[in-house]
C-alpha cells in the first residue's frame, strides 16, 4: 500500500480529483485526454471548429438571428399569428426558453494548439516529477515486470496495445479521464458502463499476462 | 485564445506530474493494481472520483458546472473493452506514454505512435463503415 517515492493513495486522490474539477473551473468544460489525441490528429477540422466557436462566443446572438432570418425568409417576412401565439405560450410556460442558461460557465475552446499544449504539458509534468524524485534519465527499457511478461515482444506489445488504446478510446468516446473520472463523478450512464468495461477488460488481460511471468 | 492555451498547458503539466507521482506511468504499479496485488492506486482512483463529485457539486453551487452529457451508445462497451485490453498490454492510458517520455522512458514513443495509428484507424472505420454516434471525447 505504500511505495517509496510515490504519493500515498489519499494524496494521489486529492491531486487527481482536483484536476477533475479544476479543469472545468479554469476552462468551462470537462477534462479529457483521448479527446486531445483525436483533436490533434484532426488538426484542420478542429481549427475550423475552434474558429467557429470563438466567433459564436464573441456574438452569441448571431446564430439565433441567422436562424430567425432564414425562417422569416421562408415564411415570406411575417410570422403567422397562431405560431406567434404558440411561441409566446411556450416562453411563458418555460422561462428557460426565453432566458439564456446561466448555470454553465462559458466554455473556452483551446483549439488544436491547446490540445497539443496539454499533451506536451503531460510530458513536462512527468519530467518535473522524475527530476523531483531524482530518477530523470534516458532509458531504453520499460519497467521490469513489463519485460518479464513480453520478453522479445516488448515493442510489439507497446505498438499493438497503443493501437487498441487509440482505437478503443475513440470508439467509446472517452478514456480513464473523460469517462473514468469526469463522467463517473457526474454519474453519466455511458461513462459508468464504459469504465466498468475497460476496468474489467484490463483486469482480465492483466490476470492472463500475470501467468506468463 | 493564448490565455486558454496557457491554462490548458498548466493543467496538462499538473496532470502529468500527478500521474507520475501516483505511479500511473509505471507498468509494474499498474500491473499490481489490475491483478489486485496492491490496492493503493485503486483507492486513489476511487478517492479521486469521490473528490471529483464533491468538486462538481461545488461548481454547480457557484454556477460554473460544465455541461456533461455521456449517454450509452453502440461503442460504449466494445470501445471500453478494446481500451482496457490495450491499457493492460502497453500500460498506456492515453496520458501515460507522454508522461513516460517526460520521465525519459524512450520506448513510450512506440506506444504514442500506436495511439495515433489507432485514432486514425477508428476515424477511417467510422467514416467508411460504422457511422456510429459515439459522441466526441472532447465534449
Amino acid at each position: 500500500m505504500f511505495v517509496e517515492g510515490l504519493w500515498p493513495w489519499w494524496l494521489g486522490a486529492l491531486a487527481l480529483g482536483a484536476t477533475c474539477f479544476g479543469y472545468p473551473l479554469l476552462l468551462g468544460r470537462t477534462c479529457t485526454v483521448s479527446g486531445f489525441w483525436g483533436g490533434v490528429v484532426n488538426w484542420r477540422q478542429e481549427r475550423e471548429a475552434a474558429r467557429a466557436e470563438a466567433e459564436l462566443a464573441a456574438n452569441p446572438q448571431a446564430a439565433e438571428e441567422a436562424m430567425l432570418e432564414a425562417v422569416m425568409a421562408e415564411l415570406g417576412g411575417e410570422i403567422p399569428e397562431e405560431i406567434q401565439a404558440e411561441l409566446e405560450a411556450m416562453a411563458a410556460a418555460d422561462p428557460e426558453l426565453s432566458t439564456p442558461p446561466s448555470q454553465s460557465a462559458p466554455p473556452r475552446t483551446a483549439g488544436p494548439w491547446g490540445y497539443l499544449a496539454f499533451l506536451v504539458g503531460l510530458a513536462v509534468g512527468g519530467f518535473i516529477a522524475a527530476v523531483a524524485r531524482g530518477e530523470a534519465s534516458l532509458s531504453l527499457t520499460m519497467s521490469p515486470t513489463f519485460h518479464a511478461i513480453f520478453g522479445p515482444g516488448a515493442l510489439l506489445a507497446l505498438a499493438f496495445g497503443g493501437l487498441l488504446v487509440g482505437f478503443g478510446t475513440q470508439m467509446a468516446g472517452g478514456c480513464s479521464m473523460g469517462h473514468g473520472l469526469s463522467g463517473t463523478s457526474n454519474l453519466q450512464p455511458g461513462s459508468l458502463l464504459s469504465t466498468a468495461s475497460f476496468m474489467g477488460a484490463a483486469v482480465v488481460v492483466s490476470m492472463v499476462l500475470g501467468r506468463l511471468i | 485564445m493564448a490565455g486558454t492555451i496557457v491554462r490548458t498547458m498548466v493543467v496538462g503539466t499538473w496532470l502529468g506530474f500527478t500521474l507520475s507521482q501516483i505511479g500511473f506511468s509505471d507498468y509494474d504499479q499498474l500491473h499490481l493494481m489490475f491483478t489486485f496485488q496492491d490496492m493503493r492506486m485503486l483507492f486513489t482512483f476511487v478517492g479521486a472520483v469521490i473528490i471529483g463529485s464533491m468538486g462538481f457539486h461545488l461548481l454547480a453551487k457557484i454556477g460554473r458546472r460544465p455541461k456533461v452529457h455521456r449517454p450509452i451508445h453502440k461503442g460504449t462497451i466494445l470501445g471500453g473493452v478494446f481500451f482496457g485490453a490495450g491499457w493492460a498490454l502497453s500500460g498506456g492510458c492515453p496520458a501515460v506514454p507522454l508522461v513516460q517520455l517526460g520521465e525519459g522512458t524512450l520506448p513510450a514513443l512506440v506506444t504514442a505512435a500506436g495511439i495515433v495509428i489507432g485514432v486514425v484507424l477508428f476515424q477511417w472505420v467510422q467514416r467508411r463503415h460504422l457511422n456510429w454516434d459515439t459522441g466526441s471525447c472532447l465534449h
Side-chain angles (χ1 to χ4, degrees):
Chain A
M1 278 296 288
F2 187 82
V3 180
E4 189 70 44
L6 298 181
W7 282 345
W9 71 269
W10 54 269
L11 189 53
L14 273 173
L16 207 53
T19 317
C20 184
F21 70 84
Y23 186 91
L25 186 63
L26 282 173
L27 289 132
R29 48 180 78 225
T30 51
C31 190
T32 156
V33 178
S34 53
F36 293 144
W37 280 101
V40 168
V41 170
N42 272 332
W43 192 277
R44 200 178 299 173
Q45 211 175 316
E46 289 297 330
R47 198 181 50 195
E48 294 307 315
R51 208 170 278 165
E53 198 166 319
E55 267 169 37
L56 192 64
N59 184 6
Q61 245 109 50
E64 215 170 293
E65 276 164 16
M67 212 184 285
L68 189 66
E69 211 166 278
V71 172
M72 292 299 274
E74 205 167 296
L75 292 174
E78 254 175 74
I79 301 179
E81 246 170 62
E82 60 266 37
I83 294 182
Q84 182 69 38
E86 206 173 290
L87 282 176
E88 274 164 22
M90 265 167 67
D94 187 355
E96 257 186 40
L97 273 180
S98 52
T99 51
S102 54
Q103 263 299 68
S104 53
R108 290 158 162 269
T109 302
W113 282 108
Y115 308 150
L116 187 66
F118 188 93
L119 297 179
V120 171
L122 288 172
V124 174
F127 176 71
I128 295 172
V131 169
R133 289 197 301 267
E135 291 174 2
S137 62
L138 289 180
S139 155
L140 284 170
T141 54
M142 305 292 286
S143 60
T145 308
F146 183 80
H147 290 285
I149 292 173
F150 295 106
L155 288 183
L156 198 66
L158 291 181
F160 184 61
L163 189 145
L164 283 176
V165 169
F167 193 90
T169 51
Q170 299 301 307
M171 180 185 265
C175 59
S176 30
M177 189 76 216
H179 275 323
L181 288 175
S182 308
T184 48
S185 44
N186 281 285
L187 294 176
Q188 292 295 303
S191 296
L192 293 169
L193 186 58
S194 195
T195 303
S197 308
F198 68 67
M199 289 305 276
V203 165
V204 170
V205 172
S206 293
M207 292 283 188
V208 172
L209 290 177
R211 305 206 159 225
L212 297 177
I213 304 174
Chain B
M1 189 73 176
T4 308
I5 292 175
V6 170
R7 282 168 189 232
T8 313
M9 183 152 176
V10 167
V11 183
T13 306
W14 167 253
L15 181 63
F17 180 79
T18 300
L19 290 177
S20 182
Q21 284 300 107
I22 290 171
F24 239 65
S25 51
D26 181 341
Y27 186 90
D28 281 27
Q29 293 298 320
L30 207 62
H31 189 76
L32 288 174
M33 172 178 80
F34 285 141
T35 50
F36 303 114
Q37 294 177 67
D38 185 358
M39 302 298 275
R40 185 182 59 89
M41 295 209 302
L42 222 46
F43 283 4
T44 297
F45 195 74
V46 174
V49 170
I50 294 169
I51 289 168
S53 337
M54 291 177 359
F56 275 105
H57 266 283
L58 286 178
L59 288 184
K61 281 239 166 90
I62 59 169
R64 302 282 298 267
R65 190 194 189 110
K67 267 186 241 153
V68 194
H69 181 61
R70 289 171 176 275
I72 294 170
H73 55 76
K74 282 180 193 166
T76 301
I77 295 180
L78 191 60
V81 168
F82 283 146
F83 165 42
W87 191 7
L89 279 174
S90 66
C93 80
V96 159
L98 298 161
V99 179
Q100 289 173 334
L101 279 176
E103 293 167 348
T105 311
L106 295 174
L109 269 175
V110 178
T111 324
I115 292 180
V116 170
I117 294 169
V119 171
V120 172
L121 199 64
F122 177 73
Q123 285 173 353
W124 183 81
V125 173
Q126 166 80 333
R127 256 197 321 271
R128 273 293 179 89
H129 302 287
L130 300 176
N131 291 310
W132 288 353
D133 181 16
T134 61
S136 163
C137 299
L138 278 172
H139 305 289

